[in-house]
């Protein structure tokens, strides 16, 4: 009887242990993290018509663009708290419920007639996006280890960049049917929620640990390193949003006004980002330590910014965008995997959320910083971006020296 009970217990225990993640789990987590690009990629082309619709609303010139930036501000403010909740109470339930509500809140402007109400829905959307981005990234760290984790982090950026590249064109076509039409795309998350329920499992977290396990796990937490990574994440956010926000202005400064030409330049920049993520996942991650990865990304990205300052033709400016995208595509997965690698299980959600908060804060600050630099450098935006490139290349040289010194020990 005792032997039978023991065998039954073993079978029960083995049934609770999930299999290794397969393609379906990778698909769900990667696509979920990419949902956040819908805000900028899908909605951008419809903003002019939306602004014309609300032209009689006081301050519409400022309020309509806020529908794009409000989610980003909420992600910056709340991601770290979302990560702490995921550590305390678990990941899956939080992710599934937020994914379902994402469809409702995301599509709400299709029915809302008030601009303030639409903006309020965008702030609410930002809360849900903080959950989707933070928890899906954390679960990638939970499900995968070592080289597989680094490739998944690389693919996360690849999928997001590819989605942005494709959805920019899709957003323009959908916007032909009116400024409300693109919001229908948010309902795609309704397809993901049931897949999450069926195929994802709750990974080990703080709530499932014993007191002794929690103590041992927490002992490996290094808050000083997390703070340093988060500081770099703010700078990465500033770097990452420079081209999306300012590339069109740089083209205008050299006399390029064709929307199709500018769109092509943006597409080539996106191809650079995609290429950089693949370069990281399949070459740099296995062969080089973090300082060399950072040096490579910073030097390439900084070179792109520096080339933008001196570009006088469409070809040279577009090539500069490609180099900058390549560097940015290396830097983002480098930073994410570096941060994830040293986070204990009990702090993985919080640490991932802290990184995301700082990254999106840097993105939110970017337009303010670049315009401020532009005014203090004689009114030339190219000079401000060139200065950004010099700083980035300087950081790259510092990272290179650190890597050489560490290698020599």
């Amino acid at each position: 009887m005792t032997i039978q009970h023991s065998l039954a217990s073993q079978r029960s225990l083995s049934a609770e242990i999930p299999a290794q993640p397969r393609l379906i789990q990778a698909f769900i987590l990667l696509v979920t993290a990419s949902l956040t690009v819908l805000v900028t990629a899908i909605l951008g082309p419809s903003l002019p018509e939306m602004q014309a619709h609300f032209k009689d609303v006081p301050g519409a010139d400022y309020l309509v663009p806020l529908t794009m930036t409000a989610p980003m501000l909420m992600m910056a403010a709340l991601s770290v708290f979302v990560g702490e909740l995921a550590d305390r109470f678990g990941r899956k339930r939080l992710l599934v419920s937020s994914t379902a509500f994402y469809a409702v809140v995301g599509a709400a402007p299709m029915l809302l007639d008030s601009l303030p109400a639409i903006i309020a829905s965008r702030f609410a959307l930002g809360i849900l996006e903080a959950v989707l981005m933070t928890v899906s990234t954390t679960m990638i760290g939970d499900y995968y280890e070592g080289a597989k984790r680094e490739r998944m982090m690389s693919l996360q950026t690849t999928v997001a960049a590819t989605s942005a590249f494709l959805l920019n064109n899709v957003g323009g076509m959908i916007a032909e049917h009116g400024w409300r039409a693109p919001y229908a795309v948010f309902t795609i998350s309704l397809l993901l929620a049931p897949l999450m329920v069926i195929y994802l499992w709750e990974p080990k977290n703080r709530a499932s640990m014993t007191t002794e396990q929690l103590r041992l796990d927490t002992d490996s937490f290094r808050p000083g390193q997390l703070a340093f990574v988060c500081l770099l994440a703010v700078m990465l956010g500033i770097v990452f949003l420079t081209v999306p926000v300012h590339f069109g202005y740089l083209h205008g400064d050299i006399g390029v006004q064709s929307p199709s030409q500018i769109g092509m330049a943006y597409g080539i920049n996106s191809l650079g980002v995609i290429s950089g993520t693949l370069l990281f996942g399949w070459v740099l991650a296995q062969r080089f330590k973090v300082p060399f990865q950072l040096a490579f990304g910073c030097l390439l990205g900084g070179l792109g910014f520096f080339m933008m300052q001196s570009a006088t033709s469409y070809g040279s400016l577009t090539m500069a965008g490609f180099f900058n995208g390549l560097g940015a595509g290396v830097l983002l997965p480098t930073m994410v995997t570096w941060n994830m690698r040293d986070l204990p299980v009990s702090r993985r959600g919080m640490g991932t959320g802290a990184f995301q908060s700082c990254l999106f804060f840097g993105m939110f600050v970017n337009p303010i910083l670049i315009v401020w630099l532009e005014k203090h450098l004689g009114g030339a935006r190219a000079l401000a971006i060139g200065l950004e490139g010099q700083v980035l290349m300087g950081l790259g040289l510092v990272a290179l020296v650190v890597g050489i010194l560490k290698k020599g020990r």
Side-chain angles (χ1 to χ4, degrees), residues 80-91 94 202 205-209 214 345-350:
V80 62
F81 302 108
V82 166
E84 179 64 19
L85 286 175
D87 283 337
R88 285 178 179 267
F89 303 109
R91 330 265 204 231
L94 185 61
E202 182 63 52
N205 54 63
R206 192 189 310 172
S208 62
M209 290 182 177
L214 180 59
V345 173
S346 61
R347 294 289 185 272
R348 185 170 287 156
M350 185 277 293

Side-chain angles (χ1 to χ4, degrees), residues 116-132:
I118 291 175
I119 292 173
S121 76
R122 298 307 90 187
F123 278 107
L125 186 75
I127 298 173
L128 298 173
E129 290 190 332
V131 176
L132 297 185

Side-chain angles (χ1 to χ4, degrees), residues 43-317:
L43 302 184
S46 66
L47 284 185
E49 186 179 348
M50 184 181 181
Q51 189 153 320
H53 179 82
F54 290 109
K55 64 181 184 298
D56 296 328
V57 176
D61 291 350
Y62 297 97
L63 293 176
V64 170
L66 188 59
T67 61
M68 296 275 283
T69 57
M72 194 178 298
L73 181 60
M74 297 305 291
M75 293 175 76
L78 297 178
S79 291
V80 62
F81 302 108
V82 166
E84 179 64 19
L85 286 175
D87 283 337
R88 285 178 179 267
F89 303 109
R91 330 265 204 231
K92 181 177 175 179
R93 187 181 304 173
L94 185 61
L95 185 64
V96 172
S97 58
S98 296
T99 302
F101 278 115
Y102 186 81
V104 177
V105 176
M110 295 183 69
L111 303 175
L112 297 173
D113 293 321
S114 164
L115 183 55
I118 291 175
I119 292 173
S121 76
R122 298 307 90 187
F123 278 107
L125 186 75
I127 298 173
L128 298 173
E129 290 190 332
V131 176
L132 297 185
M133 191 71 179
T134 301
V135 178
S136 62
T137 303
T138 301
M139 291 182 76
I140 290 174
D142 293 327
Y143 283 15
Y144 299 89
E145 295 181 352
K148 287 185 178 180
R149 178 191 289 170
E150 293 182 346
R151 285 189 178 179
M152 281 293 292
M153 293 301 178
S154 170
L155 282 173
Q156 184 182 25
T157 312
T158 304
V159 171
T162 304
S163 299
F165 177 69
L166 298 175
L167 292 175
N168 268 313
N169 296 321
V170 173
M173 289 187 289
I174 296 176
E176 294 289 336
H177 301 282
W179 67 267
R180 294 183 189 273
Y183 289 98
V185 179
F186 285 89
T187 59
I188 195 173
S189 66
L190 291 176
L191 301 176
L192 282 174
L195 293 178
M196 292 175 179
V197 173
I198 297 169
Y199 291 107
L200 298 186
W201 61 83
E202 182 63 52
K204 187 175 183 180
N205 54 63
R206 192 189 310 172
S208 62
M209 290 182 177
T210 65
T211 303
E212 181 63 17
Q213 287 174 331
L214 180 59
R215 185 187 65 80
L216 291 174
D217 188 70
T218 305
D219 284 346
S220 63
F221 179 50
R222 294 186 284 178
Q225 177 170 313
L226 177 61
F228 179 65
V229 171
C230 285
L231 176 63
L232 293 180
V234 175
M235 301 178 68
L236 177 61
I238 294 171
V239 167
F240 214 82
L241 207 68
T242 297
V243 168
V245 173
H246 306 286
F247 210 32
Y249 292 100
L250 293 180
H251 279 86
D253 290 342
I254 62 170
V256 178
Q257 303 294 338
S258 168
S260 61
Q261 280 189 301
I262 296 173
M264 180 67 71
Y266 271 106
I268 290 174
N269 170 258
S270 295
L271 289 177
V273 175
I274 295 167
S275 301
T277 62
L278 296 175
L279 179 63
F280 169 83
W282 271 260
V283 179
L284 299 178
Q286 285 77 41
R287 292 173 173 80
F288 299 97
K289 299 294 184 183
V290 171
F292 291 110
Q293 295 169 10
L294 289 173
F296 189 81
C298 286
L299 290 172
L300 263 180
L303 175 63
F305 284 144
F306 191 71
M307 289 171 62
M308 290 178 197
Q309 178 184 345
S310 56
T312 56
S313 67
Y314 175 77
S316 59
L317 185 55

